Amino acid sequence: MDIVLSILIHSVAFTALLYLISVGLSVTMGLMGFVNLAHGVFAMVGGYVTATLITAVHLPWWAAIALTPFIVSGIGVVVEKVLYSRLYGKAELDQVLFSIGLLFVASAVAQELYGPLLIQIPMPASLLEPIQVLGVSTSSYKLVLVAVGASVALAVLYALERTTLGAMIRAAVENRTMAEGLGLNTSLLFSGTFALGTGLAALGGAIGAELFPITPAYGFVYLVYFMIVVAIAGLGTVRGAFIASFLVALISTISAYFLPEYGTIVLFAGVFLLLLVRPQGLFGRVS
């Protein structure tokens, strides 16, 4: 029973991290139709920004975590306007080559500025202390990660499904041409949605550094997890991204416990079989 609870607790914490980073990718790919393989770069930048705010600016961990998404969102808006916007509507191959190139450039810059090794983000000692949850020992950090992930999931879901802005974003996802015909400024929606996605990725990279360590190769190493979440969920679905994140986290955790040598193989085989049956993902619409 303890093993089951341990697996569940770790899976839920892992789910929160995957969701924070992947939901922005799902929505932006669904809205913009842009194959953005460099999405993990913004999570990596979030980790480095947080580490810098703590070690160089001497901000408390909580303040740095809260400030980082806004800083990276600002960077994301600039990058979207200067670079990404030039490739909207272009062929998928052009978008893939551009985003892979951005991955290499960002990795090289990070290595030049911070070195090739992983960096540690200093955390409050209280978050690393063991705590009992249903008789199972875990860390307060995982509970904070779960709380932040759940709060963001509810906020994003409410914003997209219960607000006027969310209705406009959903309309652009469903039919961009029709949305523009009704007078919606899809360019502004793109920038705002991209900023939201990069901010959430930065938050995930910063708060999830204990599970996904920050290194210059971050965007390459963890890209597969983010893309798998999007592939399972389908494009542009917030609920789907959460469920897909949980499935990936649960399968990865169970495999790590019982089949450590074949953990990734089990995950990839499951995704392969799913996409053979539903190429659009569990919640994606058939085109």
Side-chain angles (χ1 to χ4, degrees):
M1 186 64 181
D2 288 349
I3 293 178
V4 173
L5 289 175
S6 296
I7 290 174
L8 184 60
I9 291 171
H10 186 274
S11 297
V12 173
F14 196 5
T15 297
L17 172 57
L18 285 177
Y19 179 80
L20 283 172
I21 299 176
S22 301
V23 66
L25 178 60
S26 176
V27 173
T28 52
M29 286 182 67
L31 175 60
M32 302 176 184
F34 194 100
V35 185
N36 183 18
L37 299 185
H39 186 73
V41 165
F42 298 102
M44 177 189 74
V45 172
Y48 282 122
V49 168
T50 299
T52 301
L53 290 175
I54 294 174
T55 58
V57 185
H58 305 296
L59 287 181
W61 184 82
W62 295 99
I65 291 292
L67 186 58
T68 290
F70 296 99
I71 295 174
V72 179
S73 289
I75 296 172
V77 169
V78 174
V79 172
E80 189 269 338
K81 286 297 184 184
V82 174
L83 298 176
Y84 280 86
S85 62
R86 300 174 183 273
L87 290 170
Y88 292 156
K90 300 292 185 180
E92 285 84 357
L93 179 59
D94 295 336
Q95 297 172 357
V96 167
L97 291 175
F98 161 75
S99 55
I100 289 178
L102 185 58
L103 267 175
F104 279 106
V105 171
S107 178
V109 171
Q111 182 166 326
E112 181 67 24
L113 294 177
Y114 294 93
L117 303 179
L118 65 87
I119 63 167
Q120 295 291 334
I121 297 180
M123 294 177 58
S126 60
L127 292 184
L128 300 177
E129 294 177 356
I131 186 173
Q132 294 291 318
V133 178
L134 299 177
V136 176
S137 180
T138 186
S139 64
S140 301
Y141 163 74
K142 289 185 178 180
L143 299 184
V144 170
L145 184 56
V146 170
V148 171
S151 300
V152 169
L154 291 174
V156 172
L157 185 63
Y158 178 83
L160 288 180
E161 297 197 357
R162 301 294 181 182
T163 66
T164 302
L165 177 60
M168 290 190 291
I169 293 175
R170 295 200 313 274
V173 170
E174 293 292 331
N175 193 320
R176 178 183 175 184
T177 303
M178 181 67 72
E180 290 177 341
L182 294 173
L184 295 183
N185 187 338
T186 56
S187 177
L188 184 60
L189 283 176
F190 284 4
S191 296
T193 305
F194 195 85
L196 174 64
T198 55
L200 292 178
L203 177 60
I207 201 172
E210 288 294 310
L211 296 182
F212 283 178
I214 303 298
T215 71
Y218 187 102
F220 295 102
V221 174
Y222 304 116
L223 171 64
V224 64
Y225 286 102
F226 313 145
M227 297 304 297
I228 283 176
V229 170
V230 174
I232 292 175
L235 298 179
T237 166
V238 176
R239 285 192 179 93
F242 183 83
I243 295 173
S245 295
F246 179 71
L247 291 175
V248 171
L250 185 62
I251 293 172
S252 298
T253 304
I254 291 175
S255 300
Y257 265 86
F258 299 108
L259 296 169
E261 300 89 352
Y262 306 101
T264 54
I265 295 177
V266 173
L267 177 62
F268 295 158
V271 175
F272 178 76
L273 293 174
L274 171 64
L275 295 181
L276 282 178
V277 178
R278 287 187 63 83
Q280 74 277 15
L282 290 176
F283 305 95
R285 301 184 66 176
V286 180
S287 57

